[in-house]
Amino acid sequence: MKKMMKKLALAVACVTTVAMLAACGGKEDEAKNNEQANVIKFGTNAEFPPFEFVAANGVIDQYDGIDMAIAKQIGDELGKTAQIENMEFDSLLLALQNGQVDAVIAGMTVDPERAEEVNFSVSYYNAKQVMIVKEDSDIAQASDMADKKIVVIQGYTGESCVKKMGYAYEAFKKGSEAIMELINGKCDVVVIDSATAKKYVGDNEGLKIVADDAAFGDEEYAIAVNKKDTELLEQINEILTKMIDDGTIQALSEKYAD
Ligand code: GLN
């Protein structure tokens, strides 16, 4: 009898412990869920001025730029804190598919291949690829790149453009590295998005932009969202549309352009 009582007591103790553990776990999970519910995580590659770059005082932590201001406003309007996960451009869509981030805002051009993997919001910016060359360069159009040393940034639409043109090129991980290569005379031309090119040329002496509108197609930037997250896509579309219509995006573009 004594033995049975002992067993019973032990069983009760076990059950209580398990229940307590479960309760604790439950509370922790709840806190975690609440925390997640109040946060919207954006993936970016903060190497793309004026859209995203690292600054002493950014709009979201150390991250500043047009896209970062857009992300902040989306967070505010959703009643959530916008957080930034800075990673390589090439990793962004995978991070979105894995659920590591809720959305990607990275001056990302809508293209059919990417659209197979993720959903894109309405577009908020028009861009084009351009060529950055030294001021004394004889490159005047895209076909002049044929026998030149071309540098692109890995995974950017600039890379696919040059690839389609059939020219040999070298791909760098960062726009800033590509620009250093050009400044140091190790390459003849960098192909990159127009607004970013303008920023680099403004910040560095001896460089100029050569456009070839016939050779490079029009591009549109949009925010990427996981295909499963249709509700978030709708919310982002609504906020972005408002920001386009009321001139906020235009004002941000002007603010960060200089
Ligand atoms: N617009 C280019 C692309 O989508 C580059 C974007 C970026 O570097 N952030 O590939």
Side-chain angles (χ1 to χ4, degrees):
M1 188 65 189
K2 229 180 175 185
K3 228 178 182 181
M4 245 180 90
M5 285 292 280
K6 233 183 184 176
K7 259 191 185 161
L8 194 68
L10 199 70
V12 169
C14 277
V15 169
T16 317
T17 314
V18 168
M20 265 168 67
L21 278 177
C24 282
K27 261 196 193 137
E28 261 167 32
D29 284 348
E30 207 179 292
K32 216 172 162 193
N33 284 342
N34 282 346
E35 194 184 84
Q36 280 165 354
N38 287 325
V39 164
I40 175 161
K41 255 192 211 163
F42 287 93
T44 200
N45 171 239
E47 296 283 346
F48 198 61
F51 296 92
E52 39 268 332
F53 52 95
V54 173
N57 277 310
V59 272
I60 304 175
D61 306 323
Q62 71 270 43
Y63 303 109
D64 208 3
I66 301 167
D67 284 347
M68 300 300 96
I70 295 173
K72 170 89 170 54
Q73 183 156 341
I74 290 174
D76 287 350
E77 303 224 0
L78 293 176
K80 295 182 179 192
T81 306
Q83 276 180 4
I84 298 300
E85 288 242 359
N86 188 19
M87 61 187 85
E88 284 183 7
F89 189 78
D90 265 353
S91 311
L92 286 167
L93 294 190
L94 200 61
L96 186 57
Q97 287 171 309
N98 288 343
Q100 195 186 331
V101 294
D102 301 304
V104 165
I105 184 158
M108 185 174 273
T109 304
V110 179
D111 83 15
E113 269 168 44
R114 291 172 180 166
E116 268 176 30
E117 291 165 38
V118 296
N119 277 340
F120 280 107
S121 69
V122 294
S123 62
Y124 61 89
Y125 197 88
N126 296 322
K128 240 178 176 354
Q129 298 301 309
V130 296
M131 297 166 279
I132 309 180
V133 296
K134 284 244 176 102
E135 251 162 13
D136 60 0
S137 168
D138 58 0
I139 294 178
Q141 54 193 20
S143 55
D144 294 335
M145 293 196 294
D147 56 350
K148 302 283 195 216
K149 196 148 181 268
I150 309 170
V151 161
V152 298
I153 305 32
Q154 196 177 308
Y156 285 22
T157 35
E159 178 177 13
S160 39
C161 283
V162 173
K163 200 186 262 174
K164 269 186 210 138
M165 289 172 180
Y167 303 143
Y169 62 83
E170 195 177 346
F172 278 75
K173 289 227 164 182
K174 295 179 178 179
S176 51
E177 289 171 358
I179 294 300
M180 279 320 292
E181 199 77 354
L182 180 63
I183 290 171
N184 294 335
K186 290 191 191 148
C187 74
D188 303 304
V189 53
V190 173
V191 177
I192 196 165
D193 300 49
S194 39
T196 306
K198 221 169 143 194
K199 199 80 194 161
Y200 282 133
V201 169
D203 290 349
N204 296 282
E205 277 189 19
L207 304 179
K208 68 174 180 185
I209 290 175
V210 178
D212 184 341
D213 289 354
F216 297 106
D218 291 323
E219 298 188 17
E220 291 183 343
Y221 296 168
I223 297 175
V225 177
N226 190 305
K227 282 215 192 259
K228 288 186 218 142
D229 250 337
T230 47
E231 197 188 328
L232 179 63
L233 182 69
E234 270 171 41
Q235 291 169 328
I236 288 180
N237 277 340
E238 206 175 298
I239 298 166
L240 265 183
T241 305
K242 202 184 88 195
M243 291 179 82
I244 295 165
D245 292 348
D246 70 8
T248 306
I249 306 261
Q250 180 62 32
L252 285 173
S253 309
E254 282 162 22
K255 176 182 167 195
Y256 283 102
D258 335 294

